[in-house]
Amino acid sequence: MTTKLETRLASEGGTKAVTKLGPFPSKLGREELWELIDLWEFSPGNKERIKEILDHDANVEGPHLFRYYNPKPSRVAMAEEAMRGLIGTKYCLAVNSCTSALIASYRALGIGAGDEVIVPAYTFFASAAGVVAADGIPVIAEVDDSLTLDPEAAERALTRRTKAIVVVHMRGAAGQMDALVDLSKRKGLPLVEDVAQAGGGSFRGKRLGSLGAVGCFSFDHYKVMSSGEGGFVTTDDEWLYTRAQSWHDTAACWRPDRFARERREGELFAGENYRMSELQGAVAIAQIRKADAMLAGYRRARDLILAGIDPFPGLSFRRLTDPAGDTAICLIMFLPNPEITKRAIEELHAEGVPAGGVYDSKVRDWHIYTYWDHIMEKKSVAADGLPWSALPQAELPKYSRDMCPRTLDLLGRSVHIEINCNYQEEDCRAITEGINKVLHRLRG
Ligand SMILES: Cc1ncc(COP(=O)(O)O)c(C=O)c1O
């Protein structure tokens, strides 16, 4: 059969060639949803029931998992709003990790070649590696018995090239925010809060991430709130937010006014892609809503365990700058020397107490500066040798494995007891009993 070819164009009154396309099935359908459901590990019976429901709903409308140009309300935008509400800052940007949050913040602050940033000797490698990724030079300073940046060590480490100070609220507890905010103001240097390990914690009634110039959060699996991977940048500073937004989105390529010209010098530059997916956003919303309930669980468990521990000569606890604001994800005790500490950890393990060491000179660990080989040995990703080539050799920081002896001493004597927000009274009692048994035996 031959059909007569319509030669008149539609614009000349001819018949339109295409009158109907679709609707087509969504790219993301039941198969993808099923993979997600499978992750939740329902019982086989319930899984079967869910599968039946899915198989019978042929018209499932798939989600739009990209934040921008989304016909539905964006879950990432909703998560930002929830996080902004929780932390209490004017602006919040969702990103795909805390590493990204840190790099976007360093970039937003204008850190670049030849600029120094003070970082503590005890933190996950990302706080320092992010400085290098932003072409800056990390200057490593001691922590004190709070296991966070020692403000005096930070002040001693300042040079004319210092562009920012990073406080890391390690293992759930606030750094010394009074002294560090004061230092940052006196010297006119922005304070970056790495809140990766202390999401939801606070200092004298203000949430961590709202006290410095900018806060960086992790939502990876091991954090207080998690979306598997993910992160947030919080700030009261619109300009910092705008620049972090530009960096996180290939230079603001996808924001709603994506073709807008630069409104102010420094707004647009070639960036990277740190965008959060709608999947992470959806999970993050639920986690942010649960944050305070989880924190209450952690704190209750911490108080119960702490109240039961018997005195022991030479035993002290990590100094908390604000016990009420501590997230209480752990309890850290200092023992008199590394040998007793090691023995205590072994015995606690044997008792079933979830205890671990923080530093053992023979065990590699990304949280201790001595193992940051890439920085210690001034490694570079490219032949140009940046960031180290930005300064004359003699002006670069002198890194050595023994440069922060106080940090190593404290960490080598630390016993870390993990806390779970779901512990019941009997769990806490059993843990306290295990700790007391071991301490009594060590006392001899
Ligand atoms: C203190 C600290 N900063 C930054 C990060 C990096 O977080 P993310 O895994 O989200 O990149 C971590 C993760 O462990 C961390 O503990």
Side-chain angles (χ1 to χ4, degrees):
M1 190 184 79
T2 49
T3 36
K4 193 162 168 282
L5 197 67
E6 164 75 86
T7 51
R8 276 184 314 153
L9 295 174
S11 62
E12 296 165 352
T15 319
K16 259 171 107 163
V18 180
T19 50
K20 185 173 181 294
L21 285 178
F24 302 111
S26 159
K27 185 171 3 189
L28 302 169
R30 281 171 293 173
E31 299 81 354
E32 290 75 15
L33 178 57
W34 181 248
E35 290 300 324
L36 285 182
I37 288 167
D38 197 37
L39 280 177
W40 258 254
E41 307 221 7
F42 289 98
S43 67
N46 280 341
K47 251 174 131 168
E48 216 27 66
R49 257 174 266 159
I50 296 169
K51 196 157 193 310
E52 246 171 61
I53 296 171
L54 292 182
D55 286 345
H56 282 97
D57 193 346
N59 295 320
V60 63
E61 192 189 333
H64 185 106
L65 294 181
F66 194 88
R67 172 194 189 147
Y68 296 110
Y69 299 107
N70 195 328
K72 297 176 191 159
S74 159
R75 294 302 201 276
V76 175
M78 285 158 70
E80 280 176 349
E81 196 44 35
M83 195 63 180
R84 208 179 62 77
L86 180 75
I87 305 305
T89 49
K90 286 194 192 138
Y91 305 95
C92 177
L93 174 73
V95 289
N96 55 9
S97 71
C98 184
T99 304
S100 302
L102 287 162
I103 298 172
S105 300
Y106 297 149
R107 286 301 191 184
L109 287 165
I111 286 156
D115 294 336
E116 292 178 353
V117 177
I118 312 288
V119 295
Y122 174 47
T123 175
F124 179 60
F125 183 50
S127 328
V131 175
V132 177
D135 285 339
I137 295 173
V139 173
I140 300 167
E142 294 262 29
V143 301
D144 60 21
D145 59 348
S146 67
L147 299 188
T148 65
L149 183 65
D150 174 354
E152 286 174 19
E155 183 153 6
R156 280 196 301 274
L158 300 180
T159 73
R160 65 191 160 80
R161 284 182 290 272
T162 310
K163 286 286 166 356
I165 300 167
V166 184
V167 54
V168 185
H169 306 297
M170 279 305 271
R171 304 310 303 134
Q176 301 178 60
M177 297 312 287
D178 275 346
L180 288 169
V181 168
D182 173 63
L183 177 65
S184 131
K185 284 193 179 140
R186 269 193 292 120
K187 301 291 177 183
L189 291 169
L191 182 63
V192 176
E193 290 182 76
D194 180 335
V195 202
Q197 298 198 2
S202 54
F203 180 78
R204 310 231 178 99
K206 284 195 82 182
R207 298 275 187 177
L208 303 179
S210 71
L211 294 115
V214 61
C216 299
F217 291 80
S218 173
F219 268 53
D220 81 24
H221 176 74
Y222 303 99
K223 301 305 186 294
V224 178
M225 295 169 273
S226 169
S227 49
E229 296 275 12
F232 290 89
V233 175
T234 52
T235 183
D236 282 332
D237 183 327
E238 191 195 357
W239 186 234
L240 275 186
Y241 166 77
T242 302
R243 281 172 54 88
Q245 203 283 342
S246 285
W247 183 263
H248 110 293
D249 183 21
T250 336
C253 282
W254 282 95
R255 64 183 173 180
D257 54 347
R258 62 186 295 206
F259 298 110
R261 290 201 184 275
E262 192 171 54
R263 284 164 285 209
R264 182 179 151 193
E265 173 79 28
E267 181 185 4
L268 292 187
F269 39 77
E272 306 210 348
N273 172 5
Y274 299 162
R275 291 187 305 263
M276 181 185 267
S277 122
E278 290 287 291
L279 283 176
Q280 294 165 320
V283 177
I285 293 169
Q287 287 278 289
I288 296 164
R289 285 193 196 125
K290 283 199 237 174
D292 279 330
M294 291 196 282
L295 290 171
Y298 282 120
R299 288 171 180 152
R300 183 173 159 272
R302 174 202 58 188
D303 291 345
L304 285 170
I305 295 171
L306 204 49
I309 298 178
D310 295 339
F312 175 82
L315 169 72
S316 61
F317 290 90
R318 184 250 300 250
R319 179 161 57 88
L320 294 175
T321 59
D322 177 7
D326 174 22
T327 60
I329 56 169
C330 70
L331 197 60
I332 299 182
M333 317 190 285
F334 298 126
L335 287 172
N337 60 55
E339 292 68 42
I340 294 188
T341 308
K342 221 167 158 191
R343 230 191 108 200
I345 292 163
E346 280 163 13
E347 297 296 351
L348 287 166
H349 269 169
E351 293 295 333
V353 174
V358 176
Y359 169 62
D360 176 333
S361 59
K362 293 181 194 69
V363 181
R364 283 175 70 77
D365 186 322
W366 289 116
H367 297 84
I368 321 283
Y369 77 95
T370 51
Y371 297 113
W372 302 343
D373 297 346
H374 335 38
I375 289 173
M376 293 283 127
E377 294 163 19
K378 303 191 172 106
K379 303 279 186 201
S380 177
V381 67
D384 61 15
L386 279 173
W388 319 105
S389 56
L391 294 176
Q393 266 310 101
E395 291 182 36
L396 287 172
K398 310 259 175 304
Y399 300 128
S400 70
R401 315 263 168 204
D402 56 4
M403 62 194 273
C404 293
R406 180 145 193 241
T407 300
L408 297 184
D409 170 60
L410 285 161
L411 299 181
R413 295 189 292 108
S414 296
V415 178
H416 180 287
I417 314 275
E418 196 178 312
I419 293 178
N420 187 303
C421 59
N422 298 304
Y423 281 164
Q424 300 300 306
E425 260 181 69
E426 60 269 25
D427 303 316
C428 299
R429 232 189 334 268
I431 288 171
T432 311
E433 189 188 318
I435 295 172
N436 284 337
K437 253 172 97 178
V438 171
L439 290 181
H440 284 198
R441 175 57 63 87
L442 289 177
R443 185 152 47 183

